[in-house]
Amino acid sequence: MKKFFLLFSAIAGLLAGARAQGQSAKKPNIILIMADDMGYSDLGAFGSEIKTPNIDRLAGEGLRFREFYNNSICAPTRASLLTGQYQHKAGVGYFNVNLGLPAYQGYLNRQSLTLAEVLRNSGYSTLMSGKWHVGDDSAAWPNQRGFDHFFGFIGGASNYFDISPFPEKVPPVPLVKDNRRLTLQPGQYLTDEIGNNALEFLTEQDKTGKPFFLYLAFNAPHWPLQALPEDIARYKGKYDIGWDSLRSQRLARQRELGILTPGQTINVRDSLVPVWNNLSFEEKQLWKAKMEVYAAMIDRLDQNVGRVLAKLKELKKDDNTLVVFLSDNGAQGGYAVSGRRRPQRNSGPLGTAGSYGYQEENWAYVSNTPLDNYKNNMHEGGISAPFIAWFPRQIKGGSIAKGTGHLIDLAPTFYELAGAAYPKKYNGQTPHPLAGKSLVPVFTGKLNEVDRGEPIFWERAGNRAVRKGKWKLVSTYPSYKWELYDLEADRGETRNVAGQYTDVVNELSAAYFAWAEKTGVVDYEKIKPKGGFYIPGADR
């Protein structure tokens, strides 16, 4: 009897283990990929001439959204992305600096659970490689907020090469791997190192038998413009035609692809961008070189996405993995408006270690085609991301939806697909309720856009916006005057109709102020840091 009992127990244990493994296998793996400061039209799948075959493959075999919204700038976007909360509710209402109020403390609060915390609680391995930027203190680093493994940098920007030969110019930005400090070594390129560590994590994770969540947060093509010579060489002469002709080409491709729908307006020409043919020969040489390096940075990002997809296939996990790709904000323009650009500290030719080139407004105007304005602004060019979702089991290939999604929608989407319960209590804290809606009905083709039943809201450094249905209400600091646009006909935001639809302005502005009070938004004049509004290029 004793032998029978032991045999029975062993069989029961094996069956239970197999059953648990089967249940785990049904949970999809999730890869979330974010680019940094990349414009709406900078992918081939959204109209670009830049070579992005791997990301374009995800689009061709998956779903693109014409409308997906971020928070216009690095840290607030990442706060919403990681928690499913509006940025103020998560504690990063302004940036990764503490302005003295809970909504502006500059790091994620404990009531805002990260994707890693919730998914790990549901049996997932949680991995991250890349840029963090939602908490500088080590108590707020990724390994302390739910990630099993992390490689990357904590702040807002990093050099892409080892810069030890130039210590008098700028100190190296330290890297971190599972709470241990590192630095880039000679011969390393940061985009590749982010990819390398992601591959390492995936290889090791495969031994666990658990599903995984990987957050792959590239810093490309954020400044400084630094790229590998072989990538830059691929774009030599590509931008000799200048920004005016290039933008026309991107618009034509967007119409062919269905990204730009018939009858839609495009933004009017930025009057601060000079006519290309009016530039001198020397000016053209400088400007085309900037875009060659910028394109090379995106190209290398795409190559690393391809390496991750190849690893998925090697591990035989490609048929049960959701991959989401987006950008954290629009391209980085606006220097001429602010007049506050940080001086460059170049120690070598553009694109090399120690150089500090920026894309700047002239090319950012092309990157954000066909939208208006730039990073840190609430017009469409500041808050619109190229968005791709790929999931062979559930998403029909080659589809395009209006979408109208937002960062806050990713958490409920991932939790629904993972079968992850959102905790009522977590480490003694009562988590904030999730603010968004699941994107699954749009992913599966049941809906063309998110049915949320309420507006989407934005505020950052005094810039404000509301989106409800076809209407978009927006104002730009320091003005408190509202503009109103009908985005169904005028996504280029060329016709302000606030004077014609005062009832809509009143309705949406009242909704904004109710949301602001509930979310912890404070009048920017009362909290703005010394030096005033955000300076493009100063987020180091």
Side-chain angles (χ1 to χ4, degrees):
M1 287 295 293
K2 184 176 181 181
K3 289 181 179 179
F4 177 81
F5 179 77
L6 290 173
L7 180 62
F8 179 83
S9 298
I11 293 171
L14 288 170
L15 289 172
R19 196 160 46 243
Q21 188 175 13
Q23 290 170 352
S24 177
K26 292 178 183 176
K27 290 177 177 285
N29 305 301
I30 300 169
I31 300 179
L32 176 59
I33 307 173
M34 175 168 276
D36 198 348
D37 282 11
M38 191 185 76
Y40 182 77
S41 74
D42 279 332
L43 298 173
F46 280 78
S48 179
E49 71 296 328
I50 300 172
K51 297 178 178 69
T52 54
N54 298 294
I55 300 171
D56 293 349
R57 176 198 149 198
L58 295 176
E61 298 176 2
L63 169 69
R64 279 166 286 178
F65 279 18
R66 292 189 187 93
E67 298 179 358
F68 189 90
Y69 290 113
N70 50 50
N71 288 338
S72 88
I73 200 166
C74 304
T77 279
R78 289 156 209 277
S80 290
L81 178 86
L82 282 162
T83 65
Q85 305 294 335
Y86 282 111
Q87 69 210 52
H88 307 80
K89 206 71 173 176
V92 191
Y94 175 71
F95 217 52
N96 64 325
V97 292
N98 193 338
L99 300 186
L101 292 172
Y104 300 88
Q105 66 185 25
Y107 58 92
L108 300 179
N109 56 47
R110 292 290 172 175
Q111 295 77 32
S112 300
L113 303 186
T114 68
L115 296 169
E117 288 169 331
V118 176
L119 290 172
R120 186 165 71 176
N121 206 39
S122 190
Y124 275 70
S125 299
T126 51
L127 316 169
M128 179 181 173
S129 189
K131 172 175 170 176
W132 180 237
H133 207 198
V134 283
D136 293 344
D137 190 272
S138 60
W141 288 4
N143 291 107
Q144 285 66 264
R145 292 308 309 259
F147 284 96
D148 297 328
H149 293 291
F150 166 72
F151 166 84
F153 61 98
I154 300 301
S158 173
N159 286 276
Y160 292 79
F161 295 108
D162 165 48
I163 58 164
S164 55
F166 313 109
E168 74 285 355
K169 290 290 183 179
V170 60
V173 177
L175 302 176
V176 173
K177 186 169 185 177
D178 290 341
N179 292 327
R180 294 179 293 109
R181 292 187 181 274
L182 309 167
T183 56
L184 275 178
Q185 298 302 304
Q188 292 181 334
Y189 183 67
L190 184 54
T191 301
D192 285 343
E193 292 309 304
I194 290 171
N196 290 341
N197 280 269
L199 297 180
E200 176 192 319
F201 292 158
L202 289 175
T203 300
E204 289 300 311
Q205 190 279 334
D206 187 53
K207 301 171 185 176
T208 68
K210 300 196 299 185
F212 69 81
F213 166 62
L214 168 64
Y215 175 33
L216 193 53
F218 290 103
N219 59 318
H222 190 291
W223 70 271
L225 295 182
Q226 297 173 358
L228 292 164
E230 60 266 32
D231 292 332
I232 298 173
R234 301 178 75 188
Y235 294 92
K236 283 296 181 186
K238 193 78 174 180
Y239 298 101
D240 291 10
I241 62 173
W243 41 71
D244 298 311
S245 296
L246 185 68
R247 183 169 178 271
S248 296
Q249 290 181 0
R250 289 197 180 187
L251 283 168
R253 277 192 292 269
Q254 287 179 327
R255 291 188 178 99
E256 292 172 8
L257 292 166
I259 297 298
L260 184 59
T261 56
Q264 266 286 1
T265 60
I266 59 173
N267 70 311
V268 293
R269 195 183 194 287
D270 189 335
S271 61
L272 297 173
V273 175
V275 175
W276 177 260
N277 287 335
N278 289 347
L279 300 180
S280 67
F281 175 80
E282 291 76 14
E283 288 172 325
K284 288 179 179 178
Q285 301 315 299
L286 170 65
W287 281 107
K288 70 181 186 181
K290 288 194 175 198
M291 195 61 186
E292 289 168 358
V293 178
Y294 179 86
M297 295 168 75
I298 294 176
D299 189 311
R300 180 59 59 158
L301 184 160
D302 180 79
Q303 292 175 48
N304 278 277
V305 170
R307 296 170 66 209
V308 170
L309 296 178
K311 174 60 71 171
L312 271 186
K313 188 174 181 64
E314 175 192 324
L315 297 174
K316 297 181 171 56
K317 295 181 177 180
D318 49 323
D319 68 335
N320 190 35
T321 299
L322 167 69
V323 180
V324 168
F325 181 95
L326 71 160
S327 181
D328 66 342
N329 44 251
Q332 190 180 51
Y335 296 129
V337 176
S338 70
R340 301 289 299 279
R341 197 182 106 191
R342 171 180 285 193
Q344 295 185 10
R345 300 161 291 181
N346 292 323
S347 299
L350 183 71
T352 64
S355 67
Y356 278 81
Y358 301 77
Q359 185 192 29
E360 302 196 51
E361 192 156 332
N362 298 345
W363 287 118
Y365 155 74
V366 174
S367 289
N368 286 345
T369 303
L371 308 174
D372 183 45
N373 227 298
Y374 309 97
K375 173 180 177 178
N376 193 44
N377 184 277
M378 299 307 173
H379 290 87
E380 293 290 281
I383 59 175
S384 294
F387 181 88
I388 298 168
W390 178 87
F391 191 13
R393 286 191 175 184
Q394 296 199 30
I395 294 176
K396 181 182 177 182
S399 49
I400 300 177
K402 183 180 180 183
T404 321
H406 186 278
L407 298 161
I408 57 175
D409 301 327
L410 290 175
T413 303
F414 294 165
Y415 301 158
E416 178 179 344
L417 291 170
Y422 188 67
K424 295 180 180 179
K425 287 283 185 180
Y426 187 87
N427 288 345
Q429 300 286 345
T430 300
H432 294 312
L434 292 172
K437 300 291 184 182
S438 172
L439 300 173
V440 170
V442 185
F443 283 3
T444 56
K446 293 178 181 177
L447 294 175
N448 187 49
E449 60 185 299
V450 180
D451 182 12
R452 65 181 74 251
E454 59 186 13
I456 314 171
F457 300 95
W458 292 265
E459 191 280 336
R460 199 268 163 188
N463 297 326
R464 309 172 296 171
V466 184
R467 173 72 191 269
K468 183 180 180 183
K470 69 178 184 177
W471 296 113
K472 166 101 173 280
L473 191 69
V474 62
S475 70
T476 302
Y477 180 83
S479 170
Y480 284 93
K481 186 177 181 180
W482 290 112
E483 304 165 19
L484 181 69
Y485 299 98
D486 174 0
L487 293 192
E488 284 187 0
D490 183 28
R491 197 169 181 210
E493 295 171 299
T494 62
R495 299 185 295 273
N496 176 12
V497 294
Q500 297 171 242
Y501 298 95
T502 55
D503 56 331
V504 178
V505 173
N506 291 337
E507 176 195 347
L508 296 186
S509 61
Y512 170 83
F513 288 113
W515 167 82
E517 182 176 4
K518 181 177 71 173
T519 311
V521 177
V522 175
D523 185 345
Y524 184 55
E525 285 292 340
K526 297 178 180 178
I527 60 165
K528 69 179 181 181
K530 186 178 180 181
F533 54 89
Y534 170 77
I535 303 168
D539 53 344
R540 281 186 60 81

